[in-house]
Amino acid sequence: QVQLAESGGGSVQAGGSLTLSCAASRFSARVYSMAWFRQAPGKEREGVAYINSFGGTIYADSVKGRATISQNNGKNTLNLQMNSLKPEDTAMYYCAAEPGIYSSTWSLAGEKYRYWGQGTQVTVSS
């Protein structure tokens, strides 16, 4: 059973930075997609950043230039560094994983991912 576990969330003031991590276990795909999503209360889930096994990345416009997605130890640890945080970044952040590669059309579509973590809360105060 694939397991994903997020960490690194917390409370930060606007303009600050956070690095979220996602530890993946039993995810054995050699060709894969991994991504970060977020969901704020009362809002739809939003894809934030994507990375695949070839190192390709895609970012949502809402975080472009402020976020960096990366991997340590291959796919075992997925990171999301976010700078210049804004109150509108407040949400529960989830990592997701799926064997295979997605085009830019589907890379940040949550319905394309089977494996999800439990989430980590990010709260940005003004």
Side-chain angles (χ1 to χ4, degrees), residues 16-122:
S17 299
L18 277 177
T19 298
L20 308 181
S21 295
C22 173
S25 59
R26 304 192 192 96
F27 184 54
S28 60
R30 295 178 62 186
V31 178
Y32 59 85
S33 295
M34 299 186 80
W36 286 96
F37 293 82
R38 66 186 181 186
Q39 188 165 21
K43 294 190 176 181
E44 291 188 356
R45 183 177 56 199
E46 175 190 19
V48 176
Y50 163 92
I51 192 166
N52 62 38
S53 49
F54 298 104
T57 58
I58 294 172
Y59 295 92
D61 288 344
S62 58
V63 301
K64 200 169 293 183
R66 301 189 296 120
T68 302
I69 189 170
S70 63
Q71 299 174 109
N72 294 339
N73 301 318
K75 58 184 177 294
N76 291 330
T77 304
L78 179 70
N79 301 309
L80 180 70
Q81 180 179 354
M82 293 194 65
N83 302 316
S84 302
L85 283 161
K86 305 174 182 180
E88 50 263 45
D89 294 318
T90 295
M92 186 72 79
Y93 283 71
Y94 301 90
C95 66
E98 181 67 29
I101 300 290
Y102 289 125
S103 67
S104 57
T105 301
W106 297 110
S107 58
L108 294 178
E111 63 267 31
K112 294 298 185 182
Y113 293 82
R114 280 178 291 170
Y115 304 112
W116 292 83
Q118 295 298 309
T120 186
Q121 177 68 38
V122 172

